[in-house]
Amino acid sequence: MFSIFPPRASTAAGQVDALYTFEMAINILMTALIFLCVFFFAIKYRRRSPDERPRPIHGSIPLEIAWSVIPFGIMLVMFVWGTRLYYDLYTPPRDALDIYVTGKQWMWKVQYPGGQREINELHVPAGRAVKVTLASEDVIHSFFVPAFRVKHDVVPGQYETVWFQATQPGRYHLFCAEYCGTNHSQMGGWVTVMDPVDYEAWLSGAPRGGSLIEQGEKLFQQYGCVSCHVLDASGRCPTLRNVYGHPVVLEDGRTVTADEAYIRESILNPNAKIVKGYRRDIMPVFQGQISEDGLLQLIAYVKSLSGATPAPQAQPKGNQK
Ligand code: CUA
């Protein structure tokens, strides 16, 4: 059967389509109105005899107010509606499942928190918000899942995120929507939405080499990070315990929040932001040394040192004081 829209398989799909349909309807109405007026006036005010002179017209205030205020109101509806939807679509829920996707000429590489990996295949559970962190190893790609109404550029050198909540089990196309070289048209794959129970089974059956955090910890040792960033404050470099998600005071007095982008930058170009009380040029520059996959693993490890997982020496519950 012919259908204008791809299947609606995410919670956002209906909302995006509603806004799109509304804007389309306004477009068609306005276009029709203008064309009808052109034809109508062309006939009504046509020149009837060679020596006819039209009567001068000096304008109409009520008419001018009407054609200014009504379109303005319609534009405001579009603006408020569009902005609200935009904020919803760009604010992932806090409990979203993390998945990491790296674009590379010409494939999508997928990593799950449990360490499972895939290429050009993305498995997600139905009914659960999923936050996808996007990175690129080379050029700009664009992560596009029409059935979820999700499209986002993947830009080298930074992280982008998208989120969606799939509603129906099934298989949906994944595309690259940004021309990225010779095989751009073949850079795509499938998103498989599974029933949550099947998803757990699938996750436990997928091959893996340690969770993302374990792989990150391995890299942390391998690159020698562990010799300076010891996990208390006595090292030559700042401790990484409880850094993620917390404010960091820099030597120039600024305060930044240690998010993924900050950690990534601090690995690749440590001198960009020096923590107050520490010296520059202590840590080597890792630009070009670590793959995007490796960075995501390291970041997962640094994240694991904060908040969510309690520190090993944490006080037992109900202690004195
Ligand atoms: Cu990647 Cu087009």
Side-chain angles (χ1 to χ4, degrees):
M1 192 190 75
F2 174 76
S3 85
I4 296 177
F5 291 110
R8 293 190 184 112
S10 76
T11 50
Q15 299 175 51
V16 172
D17 289 357
L19 177 61
Y20 181 81
T21 307
F22 172 77
E23 293 189 351
M24 226 33 211
I26 298 286
N27 284 344
I28 291 168
L29 274 176
M30 293 305 282
T31 309
L33 187 67
I34 289 166
F35 272 82
L36 283 175
C37 286
V38 167
F39 281 114
F40 176 74
F41 291 139
I43 293 165
K44 177 151 195 248
Y45 297 107
R46 70 188 183 278
R47 202 177 191 195
R48 283 156 218 263
S49 69
D51 53 355
E52 183 181 335
R53 292 284 174 275
R55 274 185 297 117
I57 295 169
H58 296 289
S60 158
I61 296 290
L63 193 60
E64 288 181 22
I65 289 177
W67 77 44
S68 303
V69 170
I70 294 171
F72 179 66
I74 296 173
M75 294 298 158
L76 272 189
V77 170
M78 288 183 182
F79 170 70
V80 172
W81 189 347
T83 309
R84 291 186 58 163
L85 189 53
Y86 180 90
Y87 275 99
D88 285 353
L89 294 181
Y90 279 79
T91 316
R94 292 197 138 264
D95 61 345
L97 191 68
D98 270 311
I99 293 181
Y100 303 88
V101 173
T102 306
K104 181 184 178 204
Q105 286 170 323
W106 289 275
M107 63 177 86
W108 295 107
K109 296 196 289 180
V110 180
Q111 293 189 90
Y112 299 86
Q116 300 87 346
R117 290 156 169 273
E118 291 187 286
I119 287 177
N120 293 339
E121 289 281 345
L122 174 59
H123 285 74
V124 297
R128 169 103 196 257
V130 173
K131 176 182 154 199
V132 181
T133 301
L134 297 159
S136 168
E137 298 231 345
D138 35 45
V139 299
I140 301 178
H141 303 276
S142 182
F143 179 86
F144 182 29
V145 186
F148 298 165
R149 308 295 187 273
V150 156
K151 177 152 102 179
H152 201 96
D153 275 11
V154 183
V155 182
Q158 67 193 62
Y159 289 131
E160 301 288 337
T161 55
V162 289
W163 81 274
F164 53 80
Q165 181 169 328
T167 49
Q168 298 166 31
R171 260 165 90 70
Y172 306 99
H173 268 298
L174 161 67
F175 294 107
C176 175
E178 180 72 47
Y179 180 67
C180 56
T182 314
N183 292 330
H184 155 73
S185 63
Q186 279 142 51
M187 181 169 169
W190 294 91
V191 181
T192 305
V193 177
M194 304 173 88
D195 184 77
V197 177
D198 298 343
Y199 186 70
E200 286 310 316
W202 176 83
L203 271 185
S204 55
R208 57 164 122 179
S211 74
L212 221 50
I213 295 172
E214 286 160 13
Q215 294 179 48
E217 188 173 11
K218 215 176 283 169
L219 287 178
F220 197 75
Q221 316 261 355
Q222 194 179 316
Y223 285 107
C225 318
V226 70
S227 59
C228 284
H229 290 283
V230 293
L231 297 177
D232 57 38
S234 66
R236 288 193 297 158
C237 302
T239 173
L240 300 180
R241 178 126 11 244
N242 287 326
V243 163
Y244 179 77
H246 293 269
V248 176
V249 182
L250 305 180
E251 61 168 1
D252 59 9
R254 282 183 301 153
T255 302
V256 296
T257 300
D259 54 8
E260 278 106 340
Y262 168 81
I263 296 169
R264 180 180 199 281
E265 181 186 57
S266 297
I267 296 170
L268 295 178
N269 182 17
N271 289 330
K273 296 195 174 79
I274 294 289
V275 177
K276 193 179 170 67
Y278 290 89
R279 288 195 296 128
R280 52 181 61 235
D281 297 322
I282 296 278
M283 175 172 161
V285 169
F286 283 96
Q287 190 81 55
Q289 311 282 313
I290 304 181
S291 69
E292 290 294 337
D293 291 359
L295 282 168
L296 288 168
Q297 293 161 3
L298 277 171
I299 289 169
Y301 174 63
V302 172
K303 280 165 87 168
S304 78
L305 299 174
S306 302
T309 41
Q313 305 88 345
Q315 300 291 326
K317 267 191 207 152
N319 70 29
Q320 64 284 9
K321 217 177 181 176

